[in-house]
């Protein structure tokens, strides 16, 4: 009986040490920003995409541009080739919040529309949603209109409370391309988020919508890329977006 008791107590101690070690490891990851599996994730991304990029004359580190369309529930990744961007891949958006129209305030569970910029500092490899990057909402235009919100992301895990949620496999590729572009010298990746494909016919269907004038302004940025093959340099004049040529 005594031997059994000592064995039982020893087992409890070992279990406690294991649990404590796991908690310490978890704490180190959260505090120090470490992710033990990140090298494996990066290797998987490169291994699965290298041939597809090469087939299109592209490579990791080439400049990247992203477009999002709510109605179609897709995210496009464009990669620079020559003096223009070419479409590399279209990814299904697993989930987004709200309806067609801009995000207005913190807590409205609405995914944003507009023109955003993602610097290297916005990347989060330690996201609770697999991988993520911050869109930078509110931007200058949003602030001019009194819009509020924070931590609006593109991330994995298929769960959205205001963000654009991708599958984990999708965000791995998107994140990998954006991260590689940053490391190769692209200061910030432009992300343009639209309610729908901004063709003249589709926009005409919304003439009675309260956001028609706003979407007409967004269409100018959409048309600029369609014409020039590069995203515009986006500014704000008063309460409107402005667009000018900046090249790659």
């Amino acid at each position: 009986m005594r031997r059994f008791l000592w064995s039982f107590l020893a087992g409890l101690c070992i279990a406690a040490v294991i649990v404590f070690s796991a908690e310490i490891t978890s704490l180190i990851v959260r505090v120090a920003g470490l992710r033990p599996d990140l090298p494996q994730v990066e290797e998987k991304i490169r291994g699965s995409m290298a041939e597809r990029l090469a087939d299109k004359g592209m490579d990791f580190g080439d400049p990247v541009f992203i477009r999002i369309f709510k109605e179609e529930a897709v995210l496009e990744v464009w990669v620079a080739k020559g003096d223009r961007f070419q479409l590399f891949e279209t990814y299904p958006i697993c989930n987004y919040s709200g309806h067609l129209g801009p995000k207005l305030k913190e807590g409205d569970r609405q995914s944003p529309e507009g023109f955003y910029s993602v610097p290297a500092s916005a990347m989060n490899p330690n996201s609770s949603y697999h991988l993520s990057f911050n869109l930078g909402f509110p931007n200058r235009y949003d602030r001019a209109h009194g819009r509020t919100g924070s931590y609006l992301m593109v991330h994995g895990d298929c769960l959205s409370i205001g963000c654009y949620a991708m599958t984990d496999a999708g965000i791995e590729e998107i994140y990998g391309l954006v991260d590689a572009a940053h490391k190769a010298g692209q200061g910030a990746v432009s992300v343009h988020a639209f309610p729908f494909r901004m063709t003249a016919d589709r926009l005409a269907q919304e003439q009675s919508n309260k956001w028609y004038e706003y979407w007409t302004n967004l269409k100018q940025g959409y048309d600029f890329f369609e014409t020039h093959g590069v995203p515009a340099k986006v500014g704000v004049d008063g309460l409107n977006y402005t667009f000018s040529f900046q090249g790659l």
Side-chain angles (χ1 to χ4, degrees), residues 127-140:
S127 173
S128 299
Y129 301 95
H130 193 46
L131 296 165
S132 69
F133 52 84
N134 194 322
L135 288 172
F137 180 95
N139 62 19
R140 183 181 166 194

Side-chain angles (χ1 to χ4, degrees), residues 5-231:
L5 181 59
W6 279 111
S7 297
F8 178 72
L9 290 174
L12 285 178
C13 290
I14 292 171
V17 169
I18 292 172
V19 171
F20 180 73
S21 297
E23 289 299 320
I24 289 296
T25 299
S26 177
L27 179 63
I28 291 171
V29 169
R30 292 196 303 270
V31 173
L34 304 176
R35 179 171 174 168
D37 68 333
L38 191 57
Q40 289 79 11
V41 171
E42 291 177 342
E43 183 178 352
K44 182 173 76 170
I45 293 169
R46 286 183 174 270
S48 68
M49 298 180 67
E51 185 174 345
R52 287 158 54 205
L53 284 163
D55 286 345
K56 296 188 177 184
M58 303 167 180
D59 198 1
F60 279 101
D62 290 344
V64 170
F65 167 60
I66 292 173
R67 294 200 302 185
I68 292 170
F69 298 97
K70 280 185 178 177
E71 185 172 71
E72 293 80 4
V74 296
L75 182 152
E76 297 176 345
V77 176
W78 297 69
V79 177
K81 186 175 180 182
D83 60 355
R84 299 172 68 90
F85 282 90
Q86 292 193 12
L87 182 63
F88 169 67
E89 190 64 82
T90 300
Y91 298 90
I93 295 173
C94 191
N95 202 355
Y96 71 87
S97 296
H99 45 76
L100 301 186
K103 181 174 183 62
L104 300 179
K105 61 182 179 179
E106 186 86 56
D108 65 3
R109 294 178 178 265
Q110 181 76 358
S111 298
E113 297 170 4
F115 304 95
Y116 300 96
S117 185
V118 179
S121 60
M123 308 295 285
N124 182 12
N126 303 304
S127 173
S128 299
Y129 301 95
H130 193 46
L131 296 165
S132 69
F133 52 84
N134 194 322
L135 288 172
F137 180 95
N139 62 19
R140 183 181 166 194
Y141 176 97
D142 298 320
R143 293 192 299 272
H145 286 262
R147 298 175 183 173
T148 60
S150 57
Y151 304 110
L152 279 300
M153 309 277 184
V154 174
H155 60 64
D157 207 33
C158 279
L159 176 67
S160 174
I161 52 174
C163 301
Y164 290 102
M166 316 301 295
T167 64
D168 285 354
I171 194 59
E172 285 179 359
E173 294 196 357
I174 298 162
Y175 185 100
L177 288 166
V178 174
D179 183 56
H182 285 145
K183 290 175 178 176
Q186 186 174 1
V189 171
S190 294
V191 179
H192 294 182
F194 299 105
F196 41 77
R197 293 196 181 276
M198 309 295 288
T199 64
D201 288 344
R202 178 63 188 86
L203 182 60
Q205 297 174 29
E206 303 294 336
Q207 290 186 33
S208 61
N209 193 300
K210 65 179 179 179
W211 298 117
Y212 178 74
E213 293 300 325
Y214 170 64
W215 289 339
T216 299
N217 190 200
L218 295 190
K219 187 179 186 309
Q220 295 172 358
Y222 174 91
D223 289 344
F224 189 101
F225 179 75
E226 292 290 304
T227 299
H228 299 285
V230 294

